[in-house]
Amino acid sequence: ANATPAEAAVRARGTSVATATPTAKAALLEAFGAYVRRSAVQIVRPTVTGAATPLTAAADRRDGVARITELLRLHEGMAAVVRDAFADDPGASAALRSAVEHGVNSAQSNRAAEWLAAYADHHLRPATARARGGAAARADTRGGSPLDRSLVLFRHLQAKDTFAAFYRMDLARRLLADKSADPDEERAHVARLKAECGAAYTSKLEGMFKDKDLSGDVLGHYATYARERYGERAAGGVSVQILTTGYWPAYPQMKGLRLPERVDEHRGQFENFYTEKYQGRRIAWQYSLCKVTLKASFGGKTYQLLMSQYQAEVLMCFEDDSEDDGATRFTLSQLAEATGMDERDELERTLQSLYAQQLLLRHPKSKKQEVADTDCFSLNVHYKNNSSRVVVQTIHRKSQLVAAESDRTHEAVHRDRQYQMDACIVRVMKARRTMPHKDLVAEVLRMLPVGLSGSDVKGRVENLMEREYMERSEEDAGVYNYLA
């Protein structure tokens, strides 16, 4: 009597649920569905209630991956119960689908969509592939790769637009940093999403792959152009990726950045080539995504420093400093003026990364992470490293700023939904001319299955009435008339 519905169903395997009376079978199916629903909600609920101490951005993503993993385990376990105990009874399958759908969509603010995108990102990065034994080991006997199995939850997800927004951000990071474990698997997963939701859903993702392919061709043409126009030396040392606006996420721009003379020369040469080859197109440089290999000599040893554009900008300010001196010092404001980095937070994080790895010295020494206006920085002329090739790590944004970025993504999805609702309402009203409120809401929800509610549609209807797209009928306030 105290057994869980799953245990009861497994025990019933010996007597066959199919031979149970209709009343007993209905009761067991109801209990089974309630158990799965309750278990799924418990997996996603802790984030809804909130924790005493907010998680960092990285910890929050790991937490989301763990929740999706638990949901998949729950589904796989209960699917085995449906198969073995219920003999694939349609009623049991329907109860499982309904319960999992309720659990996936019970998290507030479409968090499950964000978690599912983080889960895909986790399994598409090299570290995860190595841990699983490489591409050959990614498929297993439980029904394919983790990404294949995650489609079970994706199909039940209502906020697929939120998933697409976060997945696009993660895909952009992997492609631009060459952090994909398997490029073929990247394309294969986008193909799975396309099969589930159609070509329009994955058009931006496919456009990103297309940009990566075309960038290689453009760079090859530029190498020939630069060699013929500027000489052999100009053809090498630079790699450019062309990102089509609209396909890729929006990135912050620092338009006032002052590039070193040699870098600025390469930029001008490429712009001349591109504007000649593609007339009418405009280039906007995304310096926040740039990577630089800087050659530096310390104590007679030459190093290759792999760093961000911003780190290179700051370090180049000390280029003329004598190895035996290192007396040149800059304050925060002086470095901001010299580099053109007008965002204090970005400049602070750049300085923190450089003195944390001992390329710069901070005066006076301080354990505080925040940089004061009176702090000065000088080149560490006695820098040493066992390796001649050094990757200078960047310091990630503070957790609250990362959370703000996540909030902006959610807000962008919300705006897109508003545009979709407005277009749908106008399209329906233009066709019907006159329509009761209840029927209009039902029709919009049917046409836009993205987890919207009646109150969402009502809000957009009121907004459209304010903008004089429609009005209430004088005879019946519950009926709307379309205004041509």
Side-chain angles (χ1 to χ4, degrees), residues 424-436 438-444 446-447 479-483:
C424 184
I425 292 170
V426 171
R427 184 164 61 249
V428 171
M429 288 301 301
K430 187 175 182 179
R432 303 289 183 87
R433 313 300 295 183
T434 298
M435 198 170 187
K438 183 178 180 181
D439 294 345
L440 176 61
V441 171
E443 182 68 9
V444 172
R446 184 188 67 81
M447 296 176 67
V479 175
Y480 301 116
N481 295 328
Y482 176 70
L483 298 177

Side-chain angles (χ1 to χ4, degrees), residues 54-356:
L55 296 175
T56 64
D60 183 62
R61 288 178 67 85
R62 289 194 297 269
D63 180 67
V65 172
R67 294 183 194 281
I68 295 299
T69 302
E70 286 299 311
L71 282 173
L72 288 172
R73 287 174 180 169
L74 174 67
H75 180 272
E76 290 166 2
M78 295 302 100
V81 171
V82 171
R83 182 186 65 249
D84 299 335
F86 287 98
D88 288 324
D89 180 78
S93 299
L96 177 59
R97 285 195 301 271
S98 176
V100 172
E101 181 176 358
H102 175 79
V104 168
N105 296 296
S106 62
Q108 291 182 352
S109 303
N110 303 319
R111 289 286 284 158
E114 189 174 349
W115 295 339
L116 201 56
Y119 180 87
D121 180 63
H122 174 74
H123 286 282
L124 285 166
R125 285 187 173 271
T128 309
R130 288 195 298 268
R132 292 180 58 84
R138 278 200 289 272
D140 57 34
T141 57
R142 292 180 295 171
S145 71
L147 296 174
D148 282 325
R149 297 198 297 275
S150 70
L151 291 178
V152 173
L153 301 182
F154 178 77
R155 294 185 185 107
H156 295 302
L157 186 68
Q158 293 178 345
K160 289 183 173 62
D161 52 351
T162 303
F163 170 85
F166 281 97
Y167 187 88
R168 184 164 67 115
M169 289 176 58
D170 292 334
L171 176 61
R173 293 191 187 101
R174 294 193 300 271
L175 292 180
L176 294 176
D178 291 325
K179 293 294 185 181
S180 294
D182 185 350
D184 292 336
E185 181 65 16
E186 289 277 11
R187 296 175 184 269
H189 194 56
V190 171
R192 297 184 193 106
L193 299 176
K194 183 177 181 179
E196 294 289 333
C197 300
Y201 186 77
T202 58
S203 60
K204 292 182 179 180
L205 306 179
E206 292 175 319
M208 293 163 70
F209 290 123
K210 183 178 179 181
D211 279 350
K212 286 286 291 183
D213 295 337
L214 291 178
S215 291
D217 296 336
V218 171
L219 195 58
H221 292 311
Y222 170 67
T224 303
Y225 168 90
R227 189 180 300 109
E228 295 174 351
R229 182 73 62 90
Y230 305 108
E232 191 70 30
R233 183 178 179 183
V238 63
S239 176
V240 181
Q241 296 190 60
I242 307 298
L243 313 182
T244 303
T245 302
Y247 290 160
W248 300 78
Y251 297 103
Q253 293 191 23
M254 199 173 292
K255 297 182 179 180
L257 194 69
R258 296 187 179 93
L259 297 177
E261 183 178 350
R262 282 165 288 180
V263 177
D264 195 47
E265 183 181 356
H266 278 296
R267 181 186 65 172
Q269 291 172 358
F270 185 84
E271 286 183 351
N272 292 337
F273 156 77
Y274 196 78
T275 52
E276 289 179 18
K277 186 174 179 63
Y278 303 100
Q279 297 182 6
R281 295 188 184 182
R282 183 175 60 87
I283 292 180
W285 294 91
Q286 302 291 343
Y287 297 120
S288 62
L289 304 176
C290 292
K291 299 295 182 182
V292 175
T293 300
L294 198 64
K295 287 187 178 181
S297 179
F298 294 94
K301 181 177 180 179
T302 301
Y303 298 89
Q304 284 190 335
L305 305 177
L306 282 67
M307 56 179 57
S308 71
Q309 178 70 48
Y310 296 150
Q311 290 171 329
E313 291 286 333
V314 172
L315 209 55
M316 288 290 287
C317 292
F318 301 91
E319 183 179 14
D320 297 329
D321 215 5
S322 169
E323 280 197 18
D324 299 325
D325 186 7
T328 304
R329 296 186 179 187
F330 290 97
T331 63
L332 188 70
S333 59
Q334 290 172 333
L335 285 170
E337 183 179 356
T339 61
M341 295 178 64
D342 51 7
E343 293 184 16
R344 182 184 176 107
D345 175 69
E346 191 70 57
L347 180 55
E348 278 195 28
R349 289 190 296 111
T350 300
L351 287 168
Q352 289 165 5
S353 66
L354 291 174
Y355 72 70

Side-chain angles (χ1 to χ4, degrees), residues 419 421-431 433-434 440 460-472 480-484:
Y419 299 147
M421 283 189 286
D422 289 352
C424 184
I425 292 170
V426 171
R427 184 164 61 249
V428 171
M429 288 301 301
K430 187 175 182 179
R433 313 300 295 183
T434 298
L440 176 61
R460 300 317 302 164
V461 167
E462 293 174 351
N463 181 271
L464 289 171
M465 286 194 294
E466 292 176 1
R467 291 152 59 189
E468 298 183 351
Y469 280 88
M470 52 197 295
E471 65 178 1
R472 292 187 185 275
Y480 301 116
N481 295 328
Y482 176 70
L483 298 177

